[in-house]
């Protein structure tokens, strides 16, 4: 069983900047099955979004080095606006509903062969509007309008150094598509260091270490894109 917990603070020093909390859990079961659950919360000024979902996975082995993983998640979330933190005469918020609920869903498949992994997923099976405005223009995306592609590799440069490059590509029909590349070095099977570049977002530095062979703790810092 594995448990992850993350906390992200954006735009340090700016009042009302986003704070993001995330926790997830997953465990393999018998017969190639797997189960997981996750919770997510994002706070930004008067806006708060919280959600949760459960996941199920299935593993099909071809041989010891080739296998497929399938997974699907379903859940729900809620958006809230705290009007006590909004200027009373701000017309931007005047026609917005203070609460809205929505469904979450995603599905994906990955193929593992040797040290390589490739996968594709539909991260938004359900469409939802953050808040509704009667005069606003709304579209209804289909699941295939947002697609995530990923590829990664993990191999050893020596007995004590492993390298792990990742490549992600996020396709969106309605927003600019985005790629992200990451390289992580694992040193002495204890410490990891790395860097990531996200298109139009900037560079991220990574560092972390394993404790007692079962606990890992890490820190990352996003420098941002000076051009923006």
């Amino acid at each position: 069983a594995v448990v992850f917990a993350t906390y992200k603070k954006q735009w340090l020093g700016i009042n009302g900047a986003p704070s993001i909390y995330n926790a997830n859990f997953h465990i393999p079961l018998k017969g190639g099955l797997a189960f997981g659950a996750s919770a997510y919360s994002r706070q930004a000024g008067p806006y708060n979004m919280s959600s949760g979902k459960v996941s199920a996975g299935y593993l099909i082995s071809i041989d010891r080095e080739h296998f497929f993983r399938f997974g699907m998640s379903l859940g729900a979330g809620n958006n809230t606006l705290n009007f006590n933190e909004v200027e009373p005469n701000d017309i931007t918020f005047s026609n917005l509903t203070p609460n809205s609920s929505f469904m979450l869903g995603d599905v994906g498949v990955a193929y593992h062969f040797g040290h390589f992994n490739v996968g594709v997923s539909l991260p938004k099976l359900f469409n939802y509007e953050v808040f509704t405005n009667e005069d606003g223009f709304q579209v209804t995306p289909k699941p295939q309008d947002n697609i995530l592609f990923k590829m990664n590799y993990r191999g050893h440069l020596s007995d004590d150094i492993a390298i792990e490059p990742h490549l992600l590509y996020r396709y969106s029909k309605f927003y600019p598509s985005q790629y992200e590349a990451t390289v992580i070095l694992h040193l002495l099977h204890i410490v990891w260091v790395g860097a990531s570049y996200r298109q139009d977002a900037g560079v991220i530095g990574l560092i972390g270490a394993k404790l007692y062979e079962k606990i890992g703790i890490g820190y990352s810092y996003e420098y941002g894109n000076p051009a923006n």
Side-chain angles (χ1 to χ4, degrees):
V2 179
V3 176
F4 287 95
T6 63
Y7 169 74
K8 179 179 181 179
K9 182 66 176 178
Q10 292 183 273
W11 310 331
L12 293 176
I14 298 178
N15 186 33
S19 296
I20 300 171
Y21 307 84
N22 183 69
N24 63 67
F25 163 83
H26 63 83
I27 184 171
L29 305 174
K30 293 182 179 180
L33 296 173
F35 171 80
S38 66
Y40 177 90
S41 175
R42 184 177 189 270
Q43 300 173 352
Y47 167 68
N48 180 71
M49 190 273 274
S50 57
S51 65
K53 61 183 180 180
V54 295
S55 304
Y58 186 65
L59 172 69
I60 298 179
S61 296
I62 300 174
D63 54 38
R64 291 180 61 87
E65 293 189 351
H66 298 77
F67 51 93
F68 287 92
R69 292 185 187 272
F70 301 87
M72 184 175 186
S73 301
L74 292 173
N78 186 65
N79 294 299
T80 60
L81 270 177
N82 184 0
F83 285 108
N84 294 326
E85 298 184 18
V86 177
E87 292 292 335
N89 298 321
D90 192 337
I91 62 173
T92 304
F93 297 91
S94 60
N95 295 325
L96 298 182
T97 58
N99 295 279
S100 65
S101 299
F102 55 89
M103 293 289 294
L104 287 174
D106 52 73
V107 62
V109 58
Y111 175 52
H112 303 250
F113 52 102
H115 296 282
F116 288 91
N117 306 290
V118 295
V120 60
S121 66
L122 302 177
K124 294 184 179 181
L125 294 182
F126 305 106
N127 176 54
Y128 66 91
E129 297 293 335
V130 175
F131 292 101
T132 59
N133 186 323
E134 294 180 356
D135 298 328
F137 174 75
Q138 298 185 13
V139 296
T140 304
K142 299 178 176 62
Q144 63 269 25
D145 291 335
N146 294 279
I147 306 175
L148 174 64
F149 301 92
K150 73 106 175 182
M151 179 173 63
N152 71 286
Y153 167 87
R154 177 160 177 166
H156 286 81
L157 300 178
S158 68
D159 291 340
D160 294 326
I161 302 176
I163 187 170
E164 189 176 354
H166 295 255
L167 184 63
L168 296 174
Y169 180 73
R170 298 177 178 89
Y171 164 79
S172 175
K173 182 177 179 180
F174 301 100
Y175 300 99
S177 298
Q178 183 185 61
Y179 70 84
E180 181 176 346
T182 301
V183 177
I184 302 173
L185 289 177
H186 298 267
L187 310 175
L188 302 174
H189 308 286
I190 298 175
V191 176
W192 70 85
V193 294
S196 179
Y197 175 77
R198 186 181 299 128
Q199 183 182 9
D200 298 325
V203 177
I204 303 170
L206 312 166
I207 189 170
K210 294 180 181 179
L211 307 174
Y212 307 108
E213 296 184 352
K214 291 186 177 181
I215 300 174
I217 183 169
Y219 174 82
S220 64
Y221 182 82
E222 184 174 348
Y223 179 68
N225 189 349
N228 293 335

